[in-house]
């Protein structure tokens, strides 16, 4: 077994596509790197090993989740380590390029690696003079590099050129140095997304196409060509992390709401989010509610589709994990959680309220309708139904009035499509059909072949 097997615990958030790390320092203390506000997995890992978190390091001002570093400082007395250039407004040890922290046997060296953000640091772990591994955050990631457009279009190319230099710097480390990125498969910070989460410098030099770019201009073109859209809430969280998220004194809880209270919340501009499985939502739901099933990607779509400035009420199903629901909301800064509908849809109906149903059918039952594909652009380009209208789910609300009536709404399986249908219903659309399946199912049922490339002209 190697160093990582013995001392490093990766903590993967599959929904956001990110990895935090807990490094066992061997004396009952630990270093946490890029810990998110939802610390349940980290606490469990630390408890299993009998560890107290002595240091909490953040590689950059995260845009896709709230940092747990401040909370670890409060709960464990951890020293927060972060870039001095980030100007964080809470107690921390600011580090500049080359600064070192004695971890007690191991040394942590800060390496300035701007690109994903201005103040980005990588953290190199040294055992004496030997490089064990490097926490690369959003600089070098497996077979790629993190996106450089989070600070605005006017900074994107400048930061891409900085990213080029940062990756070249990291590539100068010995080939055997482990690479421990934060962003990975499923992360909208990854550009483009990959599947593996850890690597080595040598493996990246052999396989990473961005490291293989023949010059800086080629690197920039490749990186920028891979950038897709990202959730709207990314624009808010970096500043919250700079100020420091509020310390939580206990696990957040959901209150019980009556049907009357839910109606009042909606009348006052609040939103109802239905977290039940897609088929249950289709069978009957609160009119105007958003379908967002509780799953790994729940936080992503909550933050992309709804504001964080209005109260939210939730419709839940039997046996769903309310703690998971709340923590997913809190880790992206959604704290105005009014509560959940007590008794669920049966209580709503028993109170005399109406419900909306949405057709959720297999491809052979869709009939002849305009086909609306709400997948990401990269998915659409890989293969779509000929003549399909394409609008990414994240941008659908803005153009809902332009969508033809009576469309079949589709994604890869039906989950995002039902979310899209709920947005369209709220905008006044009726006679919608949601495809239970994906484009290949539809093509097979209708005697079609999928088309590659961007949207067809005129669609």
């Amino acid at each position: 077994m190697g160093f990582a097997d013995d001392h490093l615990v990766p903590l993967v958030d599959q929904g956001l596509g990110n990895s935090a790390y807990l490094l066992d320092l061997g004396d009952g203390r630990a270093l946490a790197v890029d810990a998110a506000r939802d610390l349940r997995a980290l606490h469990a890992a630390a408890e299993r090993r009998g560890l107290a978190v002595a240091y909490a390091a953040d590689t950059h001002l995260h845009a896709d989740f709230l940092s747990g570093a401040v909370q670890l400082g409060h709960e464990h007395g951890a020293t927060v380590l972060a870039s001095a250039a980030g100007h964080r407004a809470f107690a921390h040890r600011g580090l500049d390029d080359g600064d070192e922290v004695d971890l007690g046997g191991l040394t942590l060296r800060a390496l300035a690696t701007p690109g994903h953000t201005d103040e980005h640091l990588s953290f190199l772990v040294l055992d004496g003079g030997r490089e064990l591994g490097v926490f690369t955050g959003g600089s070098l990631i497996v077979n790629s590099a993190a996106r450089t457009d989070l600070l605005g279009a006017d900074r994107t190319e400048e930061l891409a050129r900085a990213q080029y230099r940062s990756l070249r710097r990291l590539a100068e480390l010995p080939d055997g140095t482990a690479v421990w990125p934060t962003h990975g498969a499923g992360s909208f910070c990854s550009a483009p997304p990959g599947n593996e989460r850890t690597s080595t410098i040598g493996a990246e030099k052999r396989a990473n196409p961005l490291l293989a770019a023949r010059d800086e201009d080629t690197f920039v073109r490749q990186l920028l060509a891979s950038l897709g859209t990202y959730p709207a809430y990314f624009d808010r969280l970096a500043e919250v992390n700079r100020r420091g998220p509020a310390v939580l004194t206990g696990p957040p809880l959901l209150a019980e709401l009556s049907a009357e209270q839910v109606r009042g919340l909606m009348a006052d501009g609040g939103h109802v989010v239905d977290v039940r499985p897609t088929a249950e939502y289709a069978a009957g739901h609160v009119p105007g509610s958003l379908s967002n099933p509780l799953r790994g990607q729940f936080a992503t779509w909550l933050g992309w589709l709804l504001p964080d400035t209005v109260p939210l009420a939730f419709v839940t199903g039997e046996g769903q994990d309310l703690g998971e629901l709340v923590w997913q909301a809190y880790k992206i800064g959604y704290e105005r959680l009014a509560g959940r509908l007590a008794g669920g849809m049966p209580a709503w109906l028993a109170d005399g309220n109406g419900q909306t149903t949405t057709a959720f059918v297999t491809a052979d039952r869709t009939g002849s309708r305009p086909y609306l594909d709400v997948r990401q652009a990269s998915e659409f380009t890989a293969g779509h139904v000929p003549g399909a209208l394409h609008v990414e789910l994240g941008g659908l609300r803005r153009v809902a009035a332009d969508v033809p009536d009576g469309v079949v709404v589709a994604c890869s399986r039906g989950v995002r499509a039902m979310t899209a249908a709920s947005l369209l219903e709220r905008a006044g659309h009726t006679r919608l059909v949601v495809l239970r399946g994906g484009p290949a199912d539809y093509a097979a049922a209708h005697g079609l072949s999928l088309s590659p490339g961007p949207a067809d002209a005129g669609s």
Side-chain angles (χ1 to χ4, degrees):
M1 295 206 307
F3 171 81
D5 298 308
D6 290 335
H7 298 279
L8 189 70
V9 182
L11 303 164
V12 180
D13 182 330
Q14 298 283 355
L16 294 185
N18 290 320
S19 297
Y21 298 91
L22 188 70
L23 179 63
D24 185 344
L25 300 177
D27 57 359
R29 300 177 309 135
L31 163 72
V33 179
D34 287 342
R37 196 184 199 190
D38 179 3
L39 293 167
R40 291 175 298 170
L42 188 147
H43 283 153
E47 185 175 347
R48 284 194 302 270
R49 288 176 171 250
L51 300 173
V53 179
Y55 300 96
D58 274 352
T59 57
H60 59 290
L61 288 166
H62 303 290
D64 48 346
F65 60 86
L66 289 183
S67 169
V70 172
Q71 190 75 28
L72 288 170
H74 173 76
E75 294 179 357
H76 291 250
T79 298
V80 178
L81 307 174
S83 171
H87 304 293
R88 288 163 173 80
F90 53 88
H92 68 287
R93 179 174 171 182
L95 300 175
D96 294 308
D97 184 44
D99 285 351
E100 294 186 347
V101 179
D102 182 0
L103 302 178
L106 298 175
T107 300
L108 194 70
R109 180 183 296 163
L111 304 177
T113 46
H116 184 47
T117 65
D118 277 320
E119 38 66 60
H120 192 286
L121 293 179
S122 294
F123 294 109
L124 179 63
V125 179
L126 297 153
D127 184 4
R130 184 165 66 98
E131 298 89 345
L132 298 176
V134 58
F135 296 105
T136 56
S139 51
L140 178 63
I141 62 180
V142 180
N143 290 335
S144 189
R147 64 190 313 141
T148 62
D149 58 343
L150 297 181
L151 300 184
D154 58 329
R155 301 284 316 281
T156 300
E157 181 175 336
E158 170 201 346
L159 288 170
R161 294 187 182 279
Q163 189 76 296
Y164 172 81
R165 294 186 290 272
S166 293
L167 262 63
R168 293 289 166 176
R169 181 184 190 186
L170 291 168
E172 294 173 356
L173 293 169
D175 283 0
T177 308
V179 173
W180 302 314
T182 300
H183 300 312
S187 169
F188 280 93
C189 281
S190 177
N195 294 316
E196 299 299 323
R197 298 195 178 274
T198 61
S199 185
T200 65
I201 293 296
E204 290 308 298
K205 287 162 69 173
R206 291 188 296 272
N208 192 319
L210 289 174
L211 281 178
R214 67 176 180 270
D215 54 35
E216 183 174 318
D217 288 340
T218 303
F219 174 95
V220 170
R221 284 195 298 272
Q222 287 180 215
L223 180 60
L224 299 191
S226 69
L227 298 178
T229 55
Y230 60 84
Y233 76 91
F234 279 25
D235 293 333
R236 300 191 294 268
L237 290 198
E239 176 58 18
V240 179
N241 280 324
R242 190 195 67 80
R243 295 196 309 265
V247 169
L248 303 176
T249 57
L253 303 173
L254 271 184
E256 299 275 303
L257 301 177
S258 67
E260 181 181 5
Q261 288 173 309
V262 172
R263 288 198 309 271
L265 177 140
M266 296 182 77
D268 290 339
H271 288 272
V272 174
V273 183
D274 194 317
V275 305
R276 295 176 298 155
T278 299
E280 293 183 32
Y281 179 89
H285 52 268
V286 173
S289 60
L290 176 77
S291 173
N292 185 15
L294 184 58
R295 63 203 193 282
Q297 295 75 32
F298 172 80
T300 294
W301 294 111
L302 178 70
W304 207 327
L305 300 175
L306 292 180
D308 64 342
T309 54
V310 299
L312 304 177
F314 298 92
V315 178
T316 60
E318 189 71 29
Q320 288 193 298
D321 186 343
L322 302 184
E324 179 66 15
L325 188 166
V326 173
W327 276 118
Q328 285 216 40
Y330 265 63
K331 75 182 176 185
I332 62 165
Y334 279 66
E335 299 183 20
R336 298 196 63 183
L337 311 184
R340 71 180 185 115
L341 174 63
M345 283 304 296
W348 176 261
L349 297 173
D351 192 55
N353 302 292
Q355 66 175 352
T356 301
T357 60
T358 304
F360 188 36
V361 303
T362 53
D364 58 312
R365 296 179 55 209
T366 60
S368 179
R369 297 166 172 264
Y371 187 102
L372 173 64
D373 191 324
V374 299
R375 295 176 299 159
Q376 298 302 107
S378 59
E379 297 174 274
F380 186 86
T381 300
H384 58 268
V385 170
L389 171 67
H390 178 234
V391 182
E392 287 189 358
L393 174 56
L396 183 60
R397 185 188 296 276
R398 295 191 300 272
V399 298
D402 300 326
V403 173
D405 287 330
V407 295
V408 53
V409 191
C411 59
S412 58
R413 293 185 299 119
V415 180
R416 285 175 290 170
M418 189 63 72
T419 300
S422 70
L423 293 173
L424 292 172
E425 287 175 355
R426 186 178 175 90
H429 284 264
T430 58
R431 300 187 300 108
L432 298 169
V433 168
V434 174
L435 176 63
R436 188 192 294 262
D441 302 304
Y442 185 91
H446 292 265
L448 301 171
S449 296
L450 296 182
S451 298
D456 303 323
S459 69

